[in-house]
């Protein structure tokens, strides 16, 4: 449980820095700050995934909530308007807790109002309930809820217009409305309720300001539409309830839906056998990224704005599924991505609108080999690998030998060349306009590490499956790649590896990518060089919350990830800290220095800052990035799949609880 008392809740500047997140296993979500003051365009009570896990629409932004006690009105809401927060409902908020879903406790004199919110797995459905306690017998109490609707793409903003439909239908305790009748793709929003009355409104609420969007240099003002008002008569211990959904529900379904979801959440942590609250929280966090795609599973790269990306999914898969004892989900994810292999490549991402996948990645395909190896190691299910993936892996190798998109092709030295002007193919993929910030064209160091690892995995499988032609080819290629790598990549002056080589060009930037040459199961680096690499990386890049993406001694280093999109993208891989890189860093340290108690203590120290981080930014989650400079403020997505996954992987793999 994560708990904040009135000291935090009554301080809007502190409270706005803490955001809760509910997800539904489809890519949909609900999210806001702990005081219900929306600071992002992505904050809402119901963002629905219309074509899971994409085509996401913010349908119900929030409720304006008013409690009336003996004729006196108390506003529980909070909104940022130009120059003012109004109303200031947080002054009544006694506490907020995540246990495991959001619970808000308001106090008005001796009266207590408890609000709960939970999403239903597998549905675009959010349940909101209000219960009062300690109401004097001679007092009268009611609740007014004004739903503020957006009904827009979740990346966009809505402004007052004449196209909205102010009408709604009422049938057996369900109010149904479609805000735009001429937009058939927009779903009908159903609000099941136990209100005593539904009253027409038809009002615009104007000029909501989203502070984080302004900080990000984006449009930050929105208007929202209120079609009707729900009025409830409140009695002690009786709940005023609303089910907001894209499918009709009856209000008497609430107990069943809540029980099913609570039992499901408990089942997430039990099989993994977590021994402490920190790991249990990470297990719960991991579950939020696993969502449906077609009849299989995939991984949302990050909330609130990412969809499913091939690279992120495959890097995160061992931590999200194998460390959590859910190998069947790992199989489902790999089967889904296997369906989309084209010209020997795994997709980089699936666009939000459901268009054809994009393939601008060189490393996602190579991570495919490693995740299959991890699955085999965890399950021993060699028949599943042979029946479903071996032919794909062999086909990928042949495509890389003869050449595929973006000049991805084995060079004469056995190393993998990739890249062309204007295209970003590695995980350092920031681009401002047509300018690729870290182009890394040629032979990036981690790509060679992944390529060699893929060849050695293929060698093992070819031997197991008695495929002599493939066995001979990959064995020879691996030997050539290793010889060339050690000849060309060692930077003796800095005692580490070059980041990229391309013909005579050698990029001596000190970046974290070289750590994969040690951390992957099959390595080309000897022990002496490995120690020097780790020392260099630790000296230049290690922070309490991850590895910097560039040495602070480099003149191109940018220590703050802030400002408009161009400013942020320019810093994204030029010094910004990424927590997911601690996974391979810790793995590399254990492989190099052994599994002594001293090294375990050091590993625990490296990840210790995240115990406190779970209570800031995205509650119960790990952020996407942090500033390179102290105090290393969190930024980017409030919840990032590989940030959570890599922590879970090393904690479970090396018994760091």
């Amino acid at each position: 449980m994560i708990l904040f008392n009135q000291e935090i809740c009554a301080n809007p500047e502190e409270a706005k820095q803490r955001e809760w997140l509910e997800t539904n296993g489809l890519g949909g979500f609900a999210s806001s700050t702990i005081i219900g003051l929306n600071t992002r365009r992505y904050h809402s009570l119901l963002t629905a995934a219309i074509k899971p896990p994409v085509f996401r629409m913010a349908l119900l932004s929030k409720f304006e909530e008013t409690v009336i006690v003996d004729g006196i009105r108390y506003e529980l809401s909070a909104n940022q308007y130009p120059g003012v927060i109004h109303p200031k409902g947080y002054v009544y908020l006694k506490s907020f807790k995540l246990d495991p879903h959001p619970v808000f406790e308001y106090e008005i004199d001796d009266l207590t109002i408890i609000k709960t919110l939970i999403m239903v797995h597998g549905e675009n459905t959010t349940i909101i309930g209000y219960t009062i306690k300690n109401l004097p017998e001679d007092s009268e109490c009611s609740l007014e809820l004004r739903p503020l609707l957006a009904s827009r793409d979740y990346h966009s903003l809505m402004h007052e217009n004449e196209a909205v439909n102010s009408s709604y239908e009422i049938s057996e305790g369900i109010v149904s409305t479609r805000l735009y009748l001429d937009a058939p793709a927009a779903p009908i929003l159903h609000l099941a309720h136990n209100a005593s009355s539904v009253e027409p409104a038809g009002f615009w609420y104007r000029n909501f300001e989203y502070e984080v969007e302004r900080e990000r240099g984006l449009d930050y003002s929105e208007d929202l539409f209120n079609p009707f008002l729900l009025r409830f008569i409140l009695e002690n211990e009786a709940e005023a309830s609303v089910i907001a959904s894209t499918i009709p529900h009856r209000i008497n379904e609430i107990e069943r839906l809540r029980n099913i979801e609570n039992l499901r959440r408990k089942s997430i942590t039990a099989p993994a056998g977590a021994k402490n609250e920190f790991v249990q929280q990470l297990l719960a966090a991991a579950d939020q990224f696993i969502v449906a795609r077609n009849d299989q599973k995939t991984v949302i790269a990050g909330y609130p704005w990412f969809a499913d990306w091939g690279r992120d999914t495959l890097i995160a898969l061992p931590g999200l599924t194998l460390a959590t004892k859910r190998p069947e989900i790992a199989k489902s994810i790999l089967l889904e991505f296997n369906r989309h292999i084209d010209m020997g490549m795994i997709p980089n991402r699936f666009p939000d609108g459901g268009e054809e996948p994009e393939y601008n990645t060189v490393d996602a395909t190579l991570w495919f080999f490693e995740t299959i190896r991890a699955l085999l190691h965890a399950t021993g299910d060699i028949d599943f690998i042979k029946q479903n993936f071996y032919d794909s892996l062999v086909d990928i190798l042949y495509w890389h030998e003869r050449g595929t998109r973006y000049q991805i092709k084995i060079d004469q030295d056995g190393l993998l060349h990739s890249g062309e002007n204007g295209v970003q193919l590695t995980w350092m993929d920031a681009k401002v306009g047509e300018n690729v910030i870290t182009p890394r064209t040629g032979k990036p160091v981690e790509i060679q590490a992944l390529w060699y690892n893929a060849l050695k995995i293929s060698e093992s499988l070819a031997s197991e499956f008695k495929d002599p032609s493939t066995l001979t080819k990959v064995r020879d290629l691996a030997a050539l790649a290793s010889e060339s790598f050690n000849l060309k990549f060692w930077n003796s002056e800095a005692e580490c590896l070059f980041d990229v080589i391309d013909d005579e060009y050698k990029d001596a930037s000190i970046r974290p990518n070289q750590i994969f040459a040690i951390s992957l199961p099959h390595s080309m680096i000897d022990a002496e060089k490995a120690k020097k690499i780790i020392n260099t990386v630790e000296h230049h890049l290690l922070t309490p919350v991850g590895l910097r993406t560039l040495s602070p001694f480099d003149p191109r280093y940018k220590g703050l990830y802030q400002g408009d999109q161009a400013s942020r993208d320019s810093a994204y891989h030029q010094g910004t800290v990424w927590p997911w890189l601690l996974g391979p860093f810790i793995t590399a340290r254990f492989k190099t220095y052994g599994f002594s108690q001293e090294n375990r203590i050091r590993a625990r120290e490296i990840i210790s800052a995240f115990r406190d981080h779970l209570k800031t930014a995205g509650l119960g989650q790990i952020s996407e990035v942090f500033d390179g400079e102290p105090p290393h403020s969190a930024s980017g997505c409030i919840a990032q799949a590989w940030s959570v996954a890599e922590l879970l992987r090393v904690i479970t793999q090396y018994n760091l609880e």
Side-chain angles (χ1 to χ4, degrees), residues 532-604:
K532 292 178 179 179
I533 292 168
I534 289 171
N535 290 340
T536 298
V537 168
E538 186 158 350
H539 175 66
H540 287 263
L541 307 179
L542 182 63
T543 76
V545 286
L547 298 185
R548 295 184 180 97
T549 41
L550 184 65
S551 169
F553 305 111
D554 193 299
R556 298 165 299 169
Y557 169 78
K558 296 181 184 294
L560 299 178
Y561 181 78
Q562 61 186 23
D564 61 17
Q565 186 166 350
S567 299
R568 286 180 283 110
D569 284 348
S570 296
Y572 207 33
H573 302 108
Q574 296 290 83
T576 297
V577 172
W578 291 72
W580 79 272
L581 294 169
L582 287 181
F585 179 74
I586 289 171
T587 299
R589 288 191 91 261
F590 275 124
K591 286 184 65 178
T592 304
Y593 292 105
F595 302 94
S596 67
Q597 185 63 21
E598 180 183 354
N599 286 337
R600 292 184 191 280
I601 291 172
R602 176 61 179 142
R604 291 189 184 101

Side-chain angles (χ1 to χ4, degrees), residues 249-277:
H249 276 288
R250 301 297 175 195
I251 202 70
N252 60 9
E253 296 181 64
I254 284 181
E255 185 176 1
R256 177 182 64 84
L257 293 172
R258 279 179 178 154
N259 287 341
I260 291 172
E261 179 57 17
N262 283 323
L263 287 171
R264 190 196 70 81
R265 295 188 191 195
K266 288 180 181 178
S267 73
I268 300 304
T269 57
K275 299 175 184 176
N276 63 54
E277 189 175 347

Side-chain angles (χ1 to χ4, degrees), residues 245-429:
S245 181
T246 56
I247 57 177
H249 276 288
R250 301 297 175 195
I251 202 70
N252 60 9
E253 296 181 64
I254 284 181
E255 185 176 1
R256 177 182 64 84
L257 293 172
R258 279 179 178 154
N259 287 341
I260 291 172
E261 179 57 17
N262 283 323
L263 287 171
R264 190 196 70 81
R265 295 188 191 195
K266 288 180 181 178
S267 73
I268 300 304
T269 57
K275 299 175 184 176
N276 63 54
E277 189 175 347
F278 175 55
V279 179
Q280 289 173 355
Q281 193 65 253
L282 290 178
L283 291 168
D287 180 64
Q288 293 190 307
F289 300 104
I290 298 169
V291 301
R293 175 174 281 281
N294 301 315
D295 58 349
Q296 300 290 352
K297 297 292 185 181
T298 187
V299 170
I300 291 292
Y303 293 99
W305 54 73
F306 284 130
D308 46 344
W309 290 62
R311 173 190 301 117
D312 297 59
T313 296
L314 297 170
I315 291 173
L317 181 144
L320 296 185
T321 64
L322 302 180
T324 60
K325 310 297 184 186
R326 305 168 82 183
E328 294 307 312
I329 292 178
K331 291 179 179 181
S332 177
I333 292 170
L334 290 170
L335 287 171
E336 179 61 22
F337 274 86
N338 193 58
R339 291 179 54 231
H340 295 280
I341 293 175
D342 184 76
M343 294 177 63
M345 296 178 69
I346 291 285
N348 184 37
R349 77 180 188 102
F350 295 93
D352 283 325
E355 302 92 342
E356 288 299 308
E358 298 174 357
Y359 287 86
N360 56 320
T361 170
V362 60
D363 50 349
T365 308
L366 304 178
W367 280 110
F368 189 59
F369 286 77
E370 172 55 22
T371 51
I372 287 172
R373 182 212 62 79
L375 175 65
L376 178 59
H377 178 77
T379 66
D381 195 346
I382 192 70
D383 291 337
F384 181 78
I385 303 301
K386 187 175 192 304
Q387 292 168 12
N388 293 285
F389 301 121
Y390 183 65
D391 289 344
S392 295
L393 298 181
V394 172
D395 186 58
I396 288 170
L397 293 172
Y398 279 100
W399 271 104
H400 282 61
E401 181 181 21
R402 62 179 177 260
T404 184
R405 298 176 179 90
Y406 308 115
Q407 300 186 44
I408 298 172
K409 188 178 187 298
I410 305 173
D411 206 347
Q412 292 180 345
D413 57 6
L415 300 176
L416 194 62
H417 182 281
S418 62
E420 56 188 43
N421 289 336
V423 179
Q424 66 278 42
L425 297 179
T426 72
W427 83 275
M428 291 188 163
D429 58 358

